Structure formats: C-alpha cells, structure tokens
Amino acid sequence: MSKKLYIETLGCAMNERDSDHIIAELSDKEGYGLTNNPKEADLILINTCSVREKPEKKLFSEIGQYAKIKKHDAKIGVCGCTASHLGDEILKKTKAVNFVLGARNVSKISQIIHKDRVAWVDIDYDDSAYVFSQGNISNVRGFVNISIGCDKKCSYCIVPKTRGKEISIPADLIINEVKRLVDNGVKEVLLLGQNVNSYGKNFSTIHRAINFTQLLSEISNINGLHRIRFTSPHPLHMDDEFILEFANNKKICKSIHMPLQSGSTKILRDMRRGYTKEWFLNRAEKMKSLIPQLTIGTDIIVGFPGESEEDFLDTLDVLEKVSFDTMYSFIYSTRPHTEAKELLESGKIELVDEDIAKNRLARLQDRHKELLGITNQAQLGQIHEILFESYKEGMLEGRSDTNKLVRVSGDESLVGSICNARISEVRGAQLFGELV
Ligand code: SF4
C-alpha cells in the first residue's frame, strides 16, 4: 500500500504551484498518494505563507493539533515562506516538527523527508529548473512558474527575504512545460512569478534574451493551448509594448491583476513601489480603452504607517475610477526583515490607530462590494466563453475569459470544455448562465 501525504497549503498561487510540485516529487520518487485526512497520513506538510502576521502566529497551534492526531510514526514538515524566515527557530520551538524546508528549496523535498530535525532554507539556491516535475495534470488549468524570487524592495514585503533573488526560468524550459501540459489536455496555463514583467532580466546561466511580452507571444503559438493567464505583473513595468500584446493576443485572457497597494502617491513612495497614482490610472485607462470588457483585480493595504485620511481618500478615488473586479484588501501587518519595520522601530514612521485602520478597510470593502454589484448587473444578457472547471450540486462551474466565476446547468461531461453561456441571473457576486 502506498504511503499517504496530507498537505495544507496557505497563501498565494505560487504556494499552490509549490505544493503541486511537492506532491508530484513525492508521488514520482517516493510513491506517496494524497489523503485529505491528516489522521491517516504518513507525512503531514504545512506549506506556509508569511505575507501577514496572523497565519504565521497560528502555525504553532496548528502543528500542535496535527501532532495530537497524527499516526505515531508519521512525520511533520513545515515548508514555504514562514519556513524560510524562521528556519531552525521552528525546530527549537517545537519537537513535533521533523524538518523545515524553505520556499526556495521545494525541489529537495524527496531528500529532506529522510532526515530528522533539519532546516534547509538557503535562499541563494538555484531552483529555477524545477518546472520539470511530472505530476498529475488536470484537464483544465496548469500552473507554470516563469521566475522565482523577487528583486524589488517594497518596504512592507518579506518575500525577497523568503524567496530570495529573482531568477528567470529559461524560456525553452517554460515552453516545453506548457507543451507537455497541453499534450496532456490542459486548456489554460497560469504563468507565475512575483513580478512577471521583469521576466528575462536575470537568468542563472546564459540564455537567449527574451522579455515577458515576447514570452507571452511565443507561448501563444503553442497549438492546442486556448488560454493564457499570468500573475502578477508590476504596475511600474506595464509598458506600451506589453499592453498592446495583452490587448491584441487572442489567447491572453482579458483579465489582469494589477496590485495597487495604495492610491496615494506619498504612500506609494514610502512603500517603494516606484509608481504614482497617476501612472497607475494611466495604465489602467489605456488598457480599458483598448479592451472594453477587461476586468482588473488588485491588492490593497490600508493603514500603512503614516497613511492620513487624505491618502486613504486617494485609494478610494482609484477604486471609483478603475472599479476593480477582484480586490484582496488587508490592514497593514508589520513583517520581520522589512524596511517599514525598521522605520517603525526607529520612530521615523508611526502605525495608524487600529480602529481607524479597521474603519478604512470596512469603507473600502463596502464600496468595492457596491461597485461590483453594479458591474455584475451589467453582465446580464452578455455571452461569455466559459472554461468549465468543476461540477458541484448539479451545476457546472467555470470562469469566463474575463475571470468571472459563472455557474451553468449542464452535463458533468462538459468539465474541461469551453462553451458559450449567456448570463441570465446575478445573485450578489454570483453569476448564473445558460448554455447557448
Ligand atoms: S514586488 Fe514588492 S510586494 Fe511583490 S513580492 Fe516583490 S517586494 Fe514583495
């Protein structure tokens, strides 16, 4: 009987991709099968996120819970970004963990499971060829890393410390990986990187010079591939060449994630984002003028140290003007190894009062909900191409080219197909359609 792996994945799409890689490595090399019951697992892995403080704080209570219910000889491993920055502190704090594996080191999973009480968290390690794992492939979407690490220095962000310096994965490896996925039935690929449009700036060895726009164009030439998505581009690097390719290339889905973080030019400067409110609006407006159906998603931090009411009103103003479709919004959370933390500790900047920050977050989220209600109502009667991803409670569920989640009555056999559907009903954020 095969050994069983239970894996809990927190955080972003990058972590999901890393978990897929871990699952594939352990299945190919060590004969593990997946279970969703930690009590019957031989190996329990927690793939952690460190972008905010709360999940990190919960890590040790979670480890304690798993330790209580696990089989007596089962191992527990902590992977991902919190593993990278806490390293062997995790081993010192709890005896329940057998190993710690940093986000940059996921390719070493099949080696580390045979060790005990070790932490491998080297961020100079070149893991840029790890797109190669031959795991199970869904017939809908494949995740493909195009770069690892990040060279930006956003003052609130811990990622450069947990994932290390940016390295682009050679284009030929990426293209071969996409071809492999397509040959196995994948219709849509999601290209992943912390900052996808700096792709091509750093390769670990000499490779043909190619930028992100050219990479998109080459990938779109792959026969049988229907859709390309990517996350995340940096607003600073969204140049005209990129916007034109995005607008004109029919395989690129017309939905983009543009992390705003703040609408205030002053706060953006303190965050070291490198762009202004006006630049962000200019990029969004240019894309909307070329692609009327475009949807834009974003990330927003409220209550960054020093944020005044006026700064926050600038964020609300950008929300009004761009009308974001998806919005991940959070109150600023102080992270170790960041410039903002150092400035707070030296007294050069001050935290925003917690009640004020909570109030701003609620106002932002309420207004976002209202605007989304209006834009969703405008979807009524529109026809979208939907790639069906699953079948739940008698209905097909899938995403439009514009990333709208749509539920449609139909036969389960259509999962994995792309069909036209007319939007016939809107219930809050939920869209319902009929096959046409
Ligand atoms: S671009 Fe900024 S926010 Fe994004 S991962 Fe890099 S440092 Fe963090």
Side-chain angles (χ1 to χ4, degrees):
M1 221 170 65
S2 74
K3 290 167 283 183
K4 291 204 164 68
L5 164 68
Y6 174 86
I7 185 162
E8 177 186 350
T9 306
L10 305 163
C12 63
M14 199 73 102
N15 260 18
E16 278 181 47
R17 169 69 189 93
D18 287 348
S19 285
D20 281 354
H21 181 77
I22 287 170
I23 294 163
E25 284 278 310
L26 292 177
S27 155
D28 292 354
K29 296 185 180 157
E30 301 290 331
Y32 276 87
L34 268 183
T35 173
N36 42 29
N37 180 2
K39 289 182 187 165
E40 63 172 30
D42 301 284
L43 176 61
I44 295 174
L45 295 177
I46 312 173
N47 194 4
T48 58
C49 171
S50 60
V51 169
R52 277 172 290 282
E53 201 179 1
K54 219 167 157 189
E56 195 180 299
K57 277 192 168 161
K58 276 173 56 190
L59 174 65
F60 290 96
S61 63
E62 264 187 84
I63 292 169
Q65 293 302 323
Y66 286 134
K68 269 189 215 154
I69 59 168
K70 76 179 184 75
K71 294 199 303 199
H72 81 278
D73 56 348
K75 284 190 168 186
I76 297 181
V78 178
C79 314
C81 286
T82 305
S84 298
H85 90 90
L86 291 182
D88 55 14
E89 262 183 61
I90 296 174
L91 300 175
K92 284 180 196 149
K93 267 193 169 173
T94 170
K95 292 211 168 5
V97 170
N98 297 88
F99 60 84
V100 174
L101 187 67
R104 186 85 173 209
N105 302 261
V106 289
S107 297
K108 296 178 182 169
I109 185 69
S110 54
Q111 299 160 46
I112 202 167
I113 58 167
H114 299 294
K115 311 276 177 199
D116 203 26
R117 305 291 293 161
V118 293
W120 292 352
V121 293
D122 180 6
I123 58 167
D124 295 326
Y125 174 63
D126 177 9
D127 205 16
S128 60
Y130 87 81
V131 281
F132 277 122
S133 83
Q134 309 283 308
N136 287 336
I137 294 172
S138 103
N139 63 346
V140 180
R141 181 181 302 125
F143 288 8
V144 180
N145 276 42
I146 65 165
S147 61
I148 55 173
C150 182
D151 283 348
K152 293 279 178 200
K153 293 188 169 62
C154 300
S155 63
Y156 54 83
C157 183
I158 191 176
V159 168
K161 285 281 176 230
T162 60
R163 290 190 176 262
K165 285 201 130 333
E166 183 180 290
I167 296 179
S168 297
I169 293 164
D172 296 338
L173 290 185
I174 296 169
I175 286 164
N176 285 341
E177 175 68 0
V178 177
K179 281 184 182 158
R180 182 182 77 85
L181 293 170
V182 171
D183 287 347
N184 283 279
V186 162
K187 307 278 185 316
E188 176 181 298
V189 287
L190 176 64
L191 308 176
L192 294 170
Q194 299 303 144
N195 181 2
V196 288
N197 42 11
S198 71
Y199 177 81
K201 298 225 166 73
N202 298 312
F203 291 109
S204 52
T205 51
I206 294 169
H207 287 283
R208 74 187 164 99
I210 172 169
N211 66 21
F212 183 56
T213 306
Q214 292 160 332
L215 181 70
L216 285 173
S217 168
E218 289 195 17
I219 290 176
S220 71
N221 290 331
I222 294 173
N223 287 332
L225 176 65
H226 293 260
R227 289 176 164 191
I228 303 169
R229 296 189 195 273
F230 51 85
T231 195
S232 289
H234 194 298
L236 176 64
H237 303 298
M238 291 171 60
D239 56 21
D240 287 350
E241 183 202 14
F242 162 76
I243 289 179
L244 287 175
E245 179 71 24
F246 179 75
N248 296 328
N249 189 321
K250 291 201 168 19
K251 288 193 182 175
I252 301 177
C253 289
K254 300 304 180 251
S255 165
I256 194 162
H257 191 75
M258 276 178 80
L260 169 66
Q261 308 303 2
S262 170
S264 154
T265 296
K266 174 181 153 285
I267 296 295
L268 287 169
R269 189 197 61 216
D270 292 351
M271 288 176 162
R272 307 249 182 271
R273 291 290 291 169
Y275 52 87
T276 60
K277 174 186 179 185
E278 289 68 31
W279 170 261
F280 187 95
L281 285 174
N282 171 286
R283 298 293 84 187
E285 279 155 16
K286 174 145 192 152
M287 282 190 292
K288 283 191 165 192
S289 70
L290 294 170
I291 315 158
Q293 78 276 28
L294 178 71
T295 59
I296 301 180
T298 201
D299 302 323
I300 293 179
I301 297 170
V302 296
F304 184 79
E307 183 191 69
S308 65
E309 178 65 13
E310 213 180 6
D311 294 320
F312 174 66
L313 290 177
D314 272 330
T315 301
L316 279 183
D317 186 46
V318 178
L319 171 66
E320 290 297 327
K321 290 187 166 123
V322 178
S323 194
F324 297 111
D325 202 65
T326 48
M327 183 182 82
Y328 299 97
S329 50
F330 304 94
I331 293 174
Y332 168 76
S333 162
T334 307
R335 307 307 299 124
H337 312 294
T338 60
E339 187 189 354
K341 182 170 190 274
E342 281 169 26
L343 293 174
L344 278 167
E345 282 169 356
S346 67
K348 290 188 179 136
I349 53 175
E350 270 184 25
L351 277 176
V352 172
D353 175 88
E354 201 184 325
D355 289 339
I356 292 177
K358 280 185 183 161
N359 173 276
R360 286 180 189 160
L361 184 66
R363 283 157 65 199
L364 182 77
Q365 291 179 339
D366 287 349
R367 186 60 188 143
H368 173 249
K369 212 169 156 192
E370 281 169 13
L371 290 170
L372 190 59
I374 296 166
T375 49
N376 277 350
Q377 281 299 328
Q379 297 285 318
L380 277 173
Q382 289 196 16
I383 294 176
H384 287 288
E385 273 190 352
I386 314 288
L387 170 55
F388 291 118
E389 296 168 20
S390 60
Y391 187 77
K392 285 181 202 154
E393 296 154 9
M395 295 198 90
L396 292 157
E397 199 171 85
R399 288 197 179 266
S400 68
D401 166 62
T402 54
N403 206 29
K404 292 279 189 193
L405 189 65
V406 183
R407 303 186 77 203
V408 175
S409 298
D411 196 86
E412 190 174 1
S413 62
L414 290 176
V415 172
S417 311
I418 298 178
C419 305
N420 281 336
R422 181 182 287 107
I423 306 302
S424 53
E425 195 185 341
V426 178
R427 281 187 228 154
Q430 282 255 307
L431 298 184
F432 293 83
E434 291 158 356
L435 291 173
V436 290

